[in-house]
């Protein structure tokens, strides 16, 4: 059984991100790929969301979208667009590529030749609620106060700050895209809805929204699930849909009807114990009947917790069974976990 992990420095700044392929049975690393960022000299982020399509790996960084061949991992192509800002995930359907453009609170839709088709404005469709506006005002005040005190120094490589950014998105969601500016160097935090993950479900795309704690449908413009804390990843396996609550160290399982492609009731949830991880739960995959989650280090935790781990959970009860620690040379932040077994089987 082979797992592909997308990794980032996490707590430290670096000029690169890493991909690692892990043989779970032997707990040995069998393939790696390091990518030097082309737009930022250093960032604490590396590789983000990823997916397989047609034998290739599609993976995102903050402002770059890459295609790689596996076994061994090697770069096939890379590209960027001036409207990308803190891209979090990438998904591919039969004829479309979907990118969570978290800084702009949009999902970008491309054809398979990377021609941009449209931007799905999530603030317009899901964000015009008073409680979100009030929360963002409070977050903005906290962030501004931290900057004044000198206690917030992250994302220094973004040399522009958008004033009244979320208010402007609320009034006119396309205002920044229409400005014609290069948005890759603008700090839009805190983001309004912060789309984290896109999943192709039949002819629909489901998106997790970190800030509102929801899963939403791009096709129907409806909320599919809510009260998820800070959802990050989602994966379908048979009659189950699993989602991670990034901030609260929680994994949640729903019933899923593969015929109607609809979500049912919540059947089980579990908060992972502190001895497993005092950080973020990010990355999720069910492989060969086993459920894997990524455990990412969090600022302010003890030194013993400042590492990244992969944990195996019971898919029925979500009880932690065992785990593997990522060597620190590859960073302490996991973003995605994918099944790499078909690409690294003996016959290949």
């Amino acid at each position: 059984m082979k797992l592909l992990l997308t990794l980032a420095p996490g707590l430290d700044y670096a000029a690169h991100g890493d991909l690692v392929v892990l043989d779970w049975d032997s707990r040995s690393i069998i393939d790696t790929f390091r990518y030097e960022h082309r737009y930022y000299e250093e960032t604490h982020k590396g590789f983000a969301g990823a997916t397989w399509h047609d034998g290739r790996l599609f993976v995102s960084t903050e402002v770059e979208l890459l295609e790689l061949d596996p076994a061994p991992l090697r770069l096939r192509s890379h590209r960027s667009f001036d409207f990308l800002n803190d891209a979090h995930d990438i998904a591919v359907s039969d004829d479309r590529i979907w990118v969570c453009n978290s800084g702009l609170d949009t999902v970008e839709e491309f054809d398979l030749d990377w021609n941009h088709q449209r931007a799905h404005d999530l603030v317009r469709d899901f964000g015009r609620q008073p409680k979100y506006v009030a929360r963002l005002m409070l977050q903005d005040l906290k962030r501004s106060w931290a900057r004044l005190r000198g206690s917030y120094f992250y994302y220094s490589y973004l040399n522009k700050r958008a004033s009244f950014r979320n208010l402007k998105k609320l009034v006119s969601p396309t205002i920044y895209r229409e400005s014609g500016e290069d948005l890759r160097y603008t700090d839009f935090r805190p983001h309004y809805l912060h789309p984290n993950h896109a999943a192709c479900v039949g002819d629909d795309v489901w998106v997790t929204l970190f800030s509102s704690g929801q899963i939403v449908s791009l096709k129907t413009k409806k909320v599919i699930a809510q009260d998820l804390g800070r959802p990050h990843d989602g994966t379908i396996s048979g009659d189950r849909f699993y989602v991670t609550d990034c901030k609260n160290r929680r994994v949640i399982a729903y019933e899923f009807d593969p015929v109607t492609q609809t979500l049912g009731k919540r059947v089980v949830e579990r908060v992972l114990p502190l001895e497993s991880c005092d950080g973020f739960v990010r990355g999720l995959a069910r492989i060969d009947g086993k459920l894997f989650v990524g455990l990412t280090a969090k600022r302010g935790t003890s030194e013993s917790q400042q590492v990244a781990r992969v944990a195996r959970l019971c898919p029925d009860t979500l009880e932690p069974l065992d785990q593997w620690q990522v060597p620190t040379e590859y960073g302490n932040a996991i973003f995605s976990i994918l099944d790499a077994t078909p690409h690294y089987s003996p016959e290949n």
Side-chain angles (χ1 to χ4, degrees), residues 315-330:
D316 296 322
T317 67
L318 305 181
E319 178 184 358
L321 300 175
D322 56 359
Q323 59 181 274
W324 174 80
Q325 182 173 313
V326 178
T328 55
E329 64 190 276
Y330 300 111

Side-chain angles (χ1 to χ4, degrees), residues 85-322:
N85 187 286
D86 201 12
H88 264 61
D89 195 25
I90 186 168
V92 185
S93 59
D94 291 338
D95 61 350
R96 287 290 186 267
I97 301 170
W98 313 85
V99 176
C100 288
N101 196 13
S102 300
L104 293 191
D105 290 294
T106 60
V107 174
E108 309 294 339
E109 181 181 343
F110 300 86
D111 65 21
L112 295 183
D113 294 320
W114 291 103
N115 298 304
H116 191 257
Q117 302 300 302
R118 64 174 291 194
H120 297 262
D121 299 307
L122 302 175
V123 173
R124 178 195 62 202
D125 294 331
F126 302 103
R128 288 175 171 168
Q129 297 186 37
K131 61 182 179 180
Y132 298 155
V133 177
R135 185 196 66 237
L136 278 166
M137 289 177 63
L138 180 60
Q139 289 178 340
D140 273 331
L141 285 173
K142 288 181 177 179
R143 182 68 57 84
S144 297
W145 176 242
R147 287 183 186 277
L148 287 172
R149 294 172 55 205
S151 60
Y152 186 86
F153 48 86
Y154 302 102
Y155 309 111
S156 58
Y157 51 91
L158 302 176
N159 53 28
K160 299 179 183 178
R161 292 198 70 226
S163 59
F164 305 105
R165 50 205 170 277
N166 289 312
L167 180 60
K168 289 179 180 178
K169 287 180 186 177
L170 184 64
V171 174
S172 178
T174 62
I175 187 170
Y176 291 108
R177 185 184 302 276
E178 293 171 353
S179 70
E181 297 180 8
D182 187 341
L183 303 176
R184 290 172 289 198
Y185 300 93
T186 302
D187 187 355
F188 287 102
R189 293 173 179 83
H191 304 151
Y192 199 106
L193 291 172
H194 193 83
N196 265 332
H197 175 76
C200 298
V201 183
D203 61 350
D204 198 359
V205 177
W206 293 2
V207 182
T208 61
L209 302 182
F210 180 86
S211 296
S212 64
Q214 298 171 320
I215 301 174
V216 299
S217 162
L218 288 190
K219 179 181 178 181
T220 67
K221 304 295 187 288
K222 293 181 178 179
V223 175
I224 296 170
Q226 55 190 355
D227 300 322
L228 299 174
R230 294 292 182 261
H232 201 278
D233 313 271
T235 187
I236 295 171
S237 178
D239 61 355
R240 287 289 183 269
F241 181 88
Y242 299 93
V243 60
T244 58
D245 176 359
C246 175
K247 183 177 181 180
N248 299 309
R249 306 193 324 275
R250 183 171 56 154
V251 182
I252 304 168
Y254 284 88
E255 291 179 344
F256 177 77
D257 188 330
V259 177
T260 61
Q261 305 281 305
T262 55
L263 204 64
K265 66 180 181 180
R266 188 181 299 193
V267 291
V268 64
E269 61 180 85
R270 183 178 292 272
V271 175
L272 300 187
L274 282 173
E275 59 265 24
S276 296
C277 171
D278 189 20
F280 299 118
V281 180
R282 292 194 319 200
L284 181 65
R286 189 168 181 181
I287 304 170
D288 194 24
K290 300 176 176 64
L291 185 65
F292 297 92
V293 297
L295 311 176
T296 285
K298 183 173 67 174
R299 300 172 191 133
T301 55
S302 63
E303 186 175 347
S304 64
Q305 292 285 359
Q306 292 181 4
V307 294
R309 302 179 177 95
V310 178
R312 181 172 67 93
L313 310 182
C314 171
D316 296 322
T317 67
L318 305 181
E319 178 184 358
L321 300 175
D322 56 359

